[in-house]
């Protein structure tokens, strides 16, 4: 009885033989490659060395490495020289460009800082003149840097001990300061309250940090009520006892640390 068609084996070799044949071909190529790498043609190696010598001038005095036996006996040293040469090629120009860009950036930053300092100095002279005209030199200290002009008001002038409400006799001083801010401030104004390090606690304020913040806020509210300053341009913060300007171990030092600082940032300030 003849076999049915579906029982006959498929024509051609089995599928596993194709995979096995590919594997054998790959192994053969691998061993041929290993063999070719193990056989070094001296003529070819000398030609390669001379090519490198003519192109990169690695070998001293035009000598060839093969003739002196250097490439074989001390190949690593010359390969390192070649690597250093290749790495340095093309980087010299990049390094010079980076140095030029860095120097240009440094010059621009120096010019900017100088311009900022000049702007603050000009603002400082105007405010100092206004303070002298209003006879406030004894109660307001003025200083400046490249970012801002700073007015420092003594805490004893503005507040009673442990309180944040501005004293009535200090209101004329704040009024004149408000006029100066309206006239000269073109950017951000920052109000900071500071205290000494003597621990305090009251029904309203838990510690010096809360007290200093409340004092800065009271000055802010006064300016908002009596001037046309933009509230969005005026910031306030309490720094407590953490930024002293004098020694807290003496009464004089503690008195200096109890203060309010008003910073008027110049138009070129990076804080804007």
């Amino acid at each position: 009885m003849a076999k049915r068609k579906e029982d006959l084996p498929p024509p051609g070799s089995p599928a596993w033989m194709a995979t096995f044949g590919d594997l054998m071909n790959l192994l053969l190529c691998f061993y041929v490659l290993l063999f070719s790498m193990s056989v070094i043609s001296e003529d070819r190696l000398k030609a390669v060395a001379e090519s490198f010598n003519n192109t990169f001038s690695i070998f001293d005095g035009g000598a060839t490495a093969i003739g002196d036996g250097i490439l074989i006996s001390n190949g690593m040293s010359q390969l390192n020289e070649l690597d250093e040469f290749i790495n340095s090629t093309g980087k010299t120009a990049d390094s010079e460009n980076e140095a030029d860009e860095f120097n240009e950036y440094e010059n621009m930053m120096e010019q900017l800082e100088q311009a900022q300092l000049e702007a603050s100095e000009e603002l400082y002279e105007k405010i100092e003149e206004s303070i002298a005209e209003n006879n406030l030199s004894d109660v307001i200290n003025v200083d400046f840097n490249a970012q801002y002009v700073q007015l420092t008001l003594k805490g004893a002038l503005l507040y009673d001990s442990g309180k944040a409400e501005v004293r009535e006799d200090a209101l004329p001083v704040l009024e004149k300061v408000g006029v100066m801010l309206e006239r000269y401030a073109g950017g951000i104004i920052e109000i900071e309250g500071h205290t000494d390090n003597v621990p305090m606690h009251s029904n309203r304020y838990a510690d010096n940090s809360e007290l200093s913040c409340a004092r800065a806020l009271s000055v802010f509210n006064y300016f908002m009520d009596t001037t046309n300053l933009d509230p969005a341009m005026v910031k306030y913060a309490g720094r407590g006892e953490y930024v002293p300007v004098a020694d807290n171990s003496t009464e004089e030092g503690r008195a200096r640390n109890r203060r309010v600082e008003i910073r008027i940032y110049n138009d070129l300030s990076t804080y804007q």
Side-chain angles (χ1 to χ4, degrees):
M1 180 178 178
K3 291 185 178 181
R4 292 181 300 174
K5 186 176 182 180
E6 56 269 20
D7 293 336
L8 296 175
S13 302
W16 65 266
M17 291 187 64
T19 303
F20 180 77
D22 291 340
L23 178 61
M24 291 299 100
N25 286 334
L26 289 174
L27 287 175
L28 177 61
C29 292
F30 177 71
Y31 284 116
V32 169
L33 178 63
L34 289 180
F35 177 77
S36 65
M37 292 174 62
S38 65
V39 179
I40 300 176
S41 172
E42 182 176 348
D43 294 336
R44 291 184 179 179
L45 188 59
K46 183 181 295 185
V48 171
E50 290 176 353
S51 175
F52 276 119
N53 182 37
N54 294 332
T55 305
F56 300 110
S57 299
I58 298 173
F59 309 122
D60 297 334
T64 62
I66 295 302
D68 297 338
I70 297 175
L71 185 61
I72 296 176
S73 63
N74 194 21
M76 289 300 297
S77 63
Q78 294 201 5
L79 289 176
N80 287 336
E81 293 177 10
L82 174 61
D83 182 65
E84 292 174 2
F85 180 84
I86 294 176
N87 287 336
S88 64
T89 303
K91 287 188 176 180
T92 303
D94 292 340
S95 300
E96 291 177 354
N97 291 335
E98 290 177 359
D100 291 340
E101 291 177 359
F102 179 77
N103 291 334
E104 184 177 356
Y105 173 78
E106 287 287 304
N107 292 334
M108 290 176 60
M109 293 303 297
E110 290 178 1
Q111 293 176 7
L112 175 59
E113 185 175 0
Q114 183 62 32
Q116 291 174 334
L117 190 61
E118 291 175 357
S120 288
E121 185 175 8
E122 182 180 354
L123 180 60
Y124 164 81
E125 292 175 352
K126 293 178 180 178
I127 292 177
E128 189 179 46
E129 182 180 354
S130 181
I131 288 175
E133 291 176 354
N134 288 281
N135 299 317
L136 298 176
S137 300
D138 293 336
V139 295
I140 299 178
N141 294 324
V142 191
D143 199 3
F144 73 96
N145 59 26
Q147 298 294 316
Y148 55 77
V149 175
Q150 178 172 290
L151 312 181
T152 303
L153 290 77
K154 297 177 181 178
L157 167 71
L158 299 175
Y159 315 102
D160 291 326
S161 178
K163 297 183 178 181
E165 294 78 14
V166 179
R167 296 171 50 174
E168 289 292 333
D169 55 353
L171 294 179
V173 176
L174 285 185
E175 181 181 0
K176 294 176 181 179
V177 172
V179 172
M180 285 186 283
L181 295 179
E182 285 185 309
R183 182 179 301 171
Y184 301 119
I188 294 293
I189 299 172
E190 196 171 51
I191 303 169
E192 281 191 355
H194 299 266
T195 68
D196 57 28
N197 69 342
V198 177
M200 65 84 58
H201 179 77
S202 66
N203 294 331
R204 297 190 62 181
Y205 310 112
D207 52 28
N208 284 321
S209 295
E210 287 190 9
L211 177 61
S212 64
C213 188
R215 287 179 170 179
L217 178 59
S218 68
V219 175
F220 169 83
N221 287 334
Y222 177 82
F223 288 147
M224 295 302 100
D225 293 338
T226 61
T227 69
N228 294 319
L229 295 173
D230 183 358
M233 302 296 287
V234 184
K235 301 182 179 182
Y236 63 91
R239 305 300 301 277
E241 63 196 67
Y242 303 111
V243 192
V245 294
D247 187 359
N248 273 308
S249 64
T250 65
E251 178 56 37
E252 181 182 357
R254 290 192 293 272
R256 288 185 58 194
N257 289 331
R258 297 189 295 268
R259 68 197 189 276
V260 169
E261 295 175 348
I262 301 175
R263 295 171 184 163
I264 309 169
Y265 286 82
N266 64 60
D267 295 334
L268 299 178
S269 171
T270 55
Y271 188 69
Q272 302 298 328

